[in-house]
């Protein structure tokens, strides 16, 4: 096996993680918490869910079904050329899984963190046990178990860029947009039955978990070559586990990847696996993984997919998003704590949603405009996010379509008026709906 050098790591990252080409494809991964409608506080055995889903056959839309260590179910789409085609296919596959588990009294619910149950480890693959042991050894036991077993997200996968300058632009933009996306889609104010004081407890868990592998790669105004930045990040991160030639899995070997390189031991497969154990909010894998968005209630999972795609792929929307997001590019903590009650984040979200709604028809995704408008009416125009819903404010998924908000005037026009965000006080986060109420509904070959 060829032993790697630092330059080999850089060349791998530049050629694989930042492989450029004409943008135009989009993918999505949706994670769901599985509950028993008869006893939502009870843990559902992953084997029970797997048997039901396997018995229904593979989803027709081509999505891959996998499971997180706590039993969360994930559907990962193939890449699609058209946004409408993606959301339609993934929507059908989500319905396929729902239909498979519903006769047994089970349901998929969308929350960034399980609001009721404490983490329960259900994985049987040794890499997950190594991950658990790594977090324990590093002093991140609680956050590690919560991340592995209690969190769920909507992940958006977008192309790197047409060429190196375009890749750098998209890399900067998606990092600047990160806090806006956290705030606009925050949906995890409860954890294990208790309010946390956060709109996105999921983002807070990721923030407190092992900073060498979970903090944003681009932060504090840094700029430059994205491949070089990701190389430094990967070299400095601690090695989570080693899969030895004799088949053993060794957790927490106590060295950074740079230190491992100095020993002359790791090969390209070890590098690829190490990169899969790094979890920043934006991760480059030959495409850009946007990993900062909470799982959402009811029908709303396509909204962040549509908004993020429009803001990166449409030139006019990208320019608007760059101007709107730059002032809040480092407000990750405030986004998790306050959501859109943060006035600066609220202003940025208004501008970004307006730009996205304007761009979607140009991208051939007019069919998604009503749902994005509905979300904007319900949350963004009000300076709210799903975490601000109380038990009586359940998501629109629980109401028939005729009862959803009317759109007497174009939402995009109203979103351009940012006066609603001026001087808005920061409010405490209220409780949210019960996990089984009005809720409907990510492949894990790497460890989360």
């Amino acid at each position: 096996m060829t032993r790697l050098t630092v330059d080999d790591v850089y060349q791998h990252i530049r050629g694989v993680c930042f492989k450029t080409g004409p943008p135009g494809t989009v993918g999505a991964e949706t994670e769901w918490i599985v509950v028993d409608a008869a006893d939502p506080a009870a843990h559902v055995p992953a084997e029970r869910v797997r048997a039901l889903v396997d018995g229904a056959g593979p989803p027709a839309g081509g999505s891959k079904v996998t499971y997180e260590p706590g039993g969360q179910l994930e559907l990962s789409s193939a890449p699609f050329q058209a946004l409408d085609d993606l959301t339609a296919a993934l929507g059908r596959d989500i319905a396929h899984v729902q239909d498979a588990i519903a006769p047994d009294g089970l349901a998929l619910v969308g929350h960034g963190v399980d609001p009721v149950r404490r983490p329960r480890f259900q994985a049987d693959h040794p890499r997950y046990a190594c991950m658990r042991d790594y977090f324990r050894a590093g002093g991140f036991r609680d956050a590690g178990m919560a991340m592995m077993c209690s969190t769920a997200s909507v992940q958006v996968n977008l192309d790197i860029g047409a060429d190196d300058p375009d890749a750098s632009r998209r890399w900067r933009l998606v990092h600047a947009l990160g806090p806006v996306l956290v705030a606009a889609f925050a949906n995890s104010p409860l954890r294990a039955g208790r309010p946390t004081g956060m709109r996105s407890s999921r983002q807070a868990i990721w923030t407190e978990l092992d900073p060498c592998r979970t903090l944003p790669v681009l932060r504090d105004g840094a700029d430059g070559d994205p491949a070089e930045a990701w190389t430094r990040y990967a070299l400095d991160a601690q090695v989570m586990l080693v899969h030895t030639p004799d088949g053993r899995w060794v957790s927490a070997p106590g060295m950074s990847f740079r230190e491992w390189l100095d020993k002359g031991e790791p090969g390209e497969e070890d590098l690829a696996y190490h990169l899969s154990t790094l979890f920043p909010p934006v991760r480059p894998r030959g495409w850009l993984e946007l990993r900062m968005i909470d799982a959402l209630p009811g029908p709303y999972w396509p909204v962040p997919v549509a908004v993020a795609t429009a803001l990166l792929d449409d030139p006019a929307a990208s320019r608007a998003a760059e101007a709107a997001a730059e002032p809040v590019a480092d407000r990750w903590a405030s986004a998790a704590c306050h959501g859109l009650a943060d006035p600066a984040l609220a202003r940025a979200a208004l501008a970004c949603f307006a730009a996205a709604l304007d761009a979607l028809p140009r991208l051939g995704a007019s069919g998604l405009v009503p749902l994005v408008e509905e979300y904007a009416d319900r949350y963004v125009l009000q300076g709210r996010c799903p975490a601000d819903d109380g038990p009586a404010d359940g998501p629109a998924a629980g109401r028939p379509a005729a009862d959803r908000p009317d759109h007497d005037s174009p939402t995009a026009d109203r979103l351009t008026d940012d006066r609603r965000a001026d001087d808005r006080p920061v409010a405490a986060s209220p409780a949210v709906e019960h996990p089984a109420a009005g809720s409907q509904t990510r492949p894990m070959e790497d460890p989360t």
Side-chain angles (χ1 to χ4, degrees), residues 287-381:
W287 60 91
L288 296 171
E289 285 184 345
L290 281 62
R291 304 171 53 87
M292 72 290 289
I293 301 164
D294 280 2
L296 292 169
Y300 289 139
W301 67 264
V303 176
V305 183
V307 170
T309 303
L311 296 180
L312 258 69
D313 285 359
D314 181 82
S318 287
R319 290 191 294 270
E322 288 167 358
E326 191 276 333
V328 296
D330 295 322
R331 297 179 76 89
W332 293 93
S334 185
C337 186
H338 304 304
L340 295 186
D342 178 308
L345 286 165
R347 285 191 290 270
L350 286 165
C352 287
F353 268 74
L357 281 164
D358 186 55
L360 286 171
R362 295 195 293 270
L363 296 176
S366 297
L368 288 168
V369 168
L371 185 63
V372 177
E373 285 186 336
E374 179 182 307
Y375 190 93
D377 284 342
R378 182 175 182 83
Y379 297 113
V380 181
L381 280 163

Side-chain angles (χ1 to χ4, degrees), residues 12-14 16-19 155 157-160 167 171 174-175 215-218 226-231 233-234 272 275-276 278-291 446:
H12 173 96
I13 284 175
R14 188 168 190 81
V16 175
C17 300
F18 284 93
K19 184 178 181 179
Q155 180 174 301
N157 299 324
L158 296 166
D159 290 319
I160 289 289
W171 176 253
V174 75
H175 277 87
L215 287 180
V217 181
L218 182 60
E228 184 176 337
W230 185 227
T231 300
Y233 192 101
L275 293 173
S276 78
L278 307 179
F279 313 118
V282 180
R283 183 167 67 173
R285 298 185 63 193
W287 60 91
L288 296 171
E289 285 184 345
L290 281 62
R291 304 171 53 87
D446 55 26

Side-chain angles (χ1 to χ4, degrees), residues 1-15:
M1 180 175 64
T2 302
R3 306 303 176 183
L4 297 178
T5 66
V6 170
D7 186 64
D8 291 331
V9 174
Y10 175 79
Q11 294 302 330
H12 173 96
I13 284 175
R14 188 168 190 81

Side-chain angles (χ1 to χ4, degrees), residues 73-431:
L73 185 146
E74 178 180 45
L75 289 107
S76 302
S77 81
F80 282 79
Q81 293 289 330
L83 190 53
D84 273 346
D85 291 344
L86 162 68
T87 56
L90 185 50
R92 287 192 298 268
D93 290 350
I94 293 170
H96 170 84
V97 171
Q98 290 175 320
D99 291 344
I101 67 176
D104 208 47
L106 303 182
L108 304 179
V109 297
H111 293 284
V113 175
D114 192 320
V116 173
R117 302 170 300 190
R118 295 187 60 81
R120 175 174 291 181
F121 188 81
Q122 300 195 53
D124 54 10
H125 196 285
R127 69 180 174 222
Y128 289 122
C130 284
M131 178 183 287
R132 177 190 59 195
D133 294 344
Y134 170 86
F135 289 131
R136 286 175 174 171
F140 308 110
R141 176 190 176 106
D142 289 345
M145 284 294 288
M147 179 277 285
M148 296 174 70
C149 301
S150 296
T151 62
S153 71
V154 175
Q155 180 174 301
V156 187
N157 299 324
L158 296 166
D159 290 319
I160 289 289
D163 50 28
D164 289 346
D166 189 40
S168 295
R169 179 194 65 81
R170 290 165 69 88
W171 176 253
R172 291 192 302 271
L173 175 56
V174 75
H175 277 87
L177 283 170
V180 179
L181 297 173
V182 171
F185 300 108
N187 185 36
S188 48
L190 300 179
R191 178 177 168 188
R194 296 177 179 273
T196 65
M198 312 291 291
R199 262 44 173 222
S200 178
S201 300
R202 176 184 175 276
Q203 180 63 28
I205 288 168
W206 282 102
T207 299
E208 69 178 277
L209 180 68
D210 195 14
C212 75
R213 63 188 350 99
T214 61
L215 287 180
V217 181
L218 182 60
R219 57 187 185 272
D220 301 326
D223 206 343
D225 179 9
E228 184 176 337
W230 185 227
T231 300
R232 289 196 304 268
Y233 192 101
L235 290 172
D236 293 341
Q238 291 291 301
V239 176
M240 177 176 280
L241 56 90
V242 173
H243 192 198
T244 66
D246 60 2
R248 294 180 298 112
W249 295 78
V250 179
S251 176
M255 58 188 172
S256 69
F257 197 83
R258 189 189 301 273
E259 291 169 332
W260 198 15
L261 280 182
D262 291 341
K263 294 183 177 183
E265 295 177 352
E268 192 159 4
E269 288 187 3
D270 299 304
L271 171 60
Y273 197 84
H274 174 65
L275 293 173
S276 78
T277 68
L278 307 179
F279 313 118
V282 180
R283 183 167 67 173
R285 298 185 63 193
W287 60 91
L288 296 171
E289 285 184 345
L290 281 62
R291 304 171 53 87
M292 72 290 289
I293 301 164
D294 280 2
L296 292 169
Y300 289 139
W301 67 264
V303 176
V305 183
V307 170
T309 303
L311 296 180
L312 258 69
D313 285 359
D314 181 82
S318 287
R319 290 191 294 270
E322 288 167 358
E326 191 276 333
V328 296
D330 295 322
R331 297 179 76 89
W332 293 93
S334 185
C337 186
H338 304 304
L340 295 186
D342 178 308
L345 286 165
R347 285 191 290 270
L350 286 165
C352 287
F353 268 74
L357 281 164
D358 186 55
L360 286 171
R362 295 195 293 270
L363 296 176
S366 297
L368 288 168
V369 168
L371 185 63
V372 177
E373 285 186 336
E374 179 182 307
Y375 190 93
D377 284 342
R378 182 175 182 83
Y379 297 113
V380 181
L381 280 163
Q382 311 301 323
R384 302 173 65 250
C385 56
D388 296 315
D389 283 345
D393 307 314
R399 307 197 307 272
D403 292 335
R404 294 182 185 172
D406 293 326
H407 305 289
D408 296 328
S409 60
T411 302
D413 291 343
R414 288 181 285 130
L415 283 166
T416 59
D417 180 3
D418 65 3
R419 287 175 296 174
R420 291 175 179 268
D422 292 339
D423 303 319
R424 181 182 294 110
V426 171
S429 177

